[in-house]
Amino acid sequence: MKKQLWLFGVLALILSSCSSEEKPSLEETDSTLPKTISYIYPSPELGTNAKTTASYNGNKVVSFLNDDSKTVFTYNGDVIVKQEIFDIDTSGKEIKNEEVSYSYENGKLKTRVFRESISAEYPDGYFIEKVVYTHNSNGTVSYIDYTVDNIKKTESKSGEGTLTYKDGNLIKAEEKSGSSTTTLAFEYDSKKNPLKNILGFNLLLNEVDGFGTNNIVKTTRATTEFPNPSVYLTTYIYNDASYPTRHTSFDGGGKNIEYEIEYTY
């Protein structure tokens, strides 16, 4: 979920006069974070326009806020251990509706527990989903999805999948549910992802949609039922520091805009 880069040109001139021992890399000086993220839909049938404002403590995200919801993040050291999602009613009252908690093992994500429809009657959530991750020796990450009974707390396997990464980007996601398999393949640009500097986001795997080192420009989707792949393209407008300021996603035909995202830093 974001950056002061107009200074980079000046910094580059200053740093070029330093000795090799004194000169930090550009990446080390890059603390760019998005201040606002706005979703824009070409018609109300496709979605509702929304603007999210982010707040930070250093490069730790504190919250995302829009007109009708608020997401609050909790860290333990440098890792995110919880997200809490609040609905905001017309009087401004915040009502907790969802929660996601994370556990780690050897510095890598081990479990994700999602709770939805939290209430006095169901303080642990009416709907509970648990994901358990295994980090494999070949660099892939496999996972198993479980549905958790909200009374008995028993777990039932509902699906499984595998994530494949390269250079900090998710390049393939395969998910199996029953007899159906969905495969997504992603291609990237060489520019900077707007969320890349948020501390802890890189550990959350595919939890953060579109997160990576770079930006997705092509998504290819195939399923068991529809093996002929659908291809979705995304274009970007970048600022001088190679971060996107506008993201445009097209439908499978490549002609119609599904939505756009604007970023300010």
Side-chain angles (χ1 to χ4, degrees), residues 24 37 68 84 92 138-139 148 158 204 208 239:
I37 303 172
D68 57 10
E84 296 172 283
N138 64 358
V148 182
S158 58
L204 297 182
V208 183
N239 63 17

Side-chain angles (χ1 to χ4, degrees), residues 78-80 104 107-109 135 200-205 211:
D78 290 341
V79 301
I80 296 170
Y104 300 82
K108 297 178 180 180
L109 185 63
H135 296 261
F201 267 24
N202 63 314
L203 298 179
L204 297 182
L205 301 175
F211 176 83

Side-chain angles (χ1 to χ4, degrees), residues 33-45:
L33 298 165
K35 295 177 180 177
T36 64
I37 303 172
S38 300
Y39 279 79
I40 304 165
Y41 295 90
S43 69
E45 290 76 20

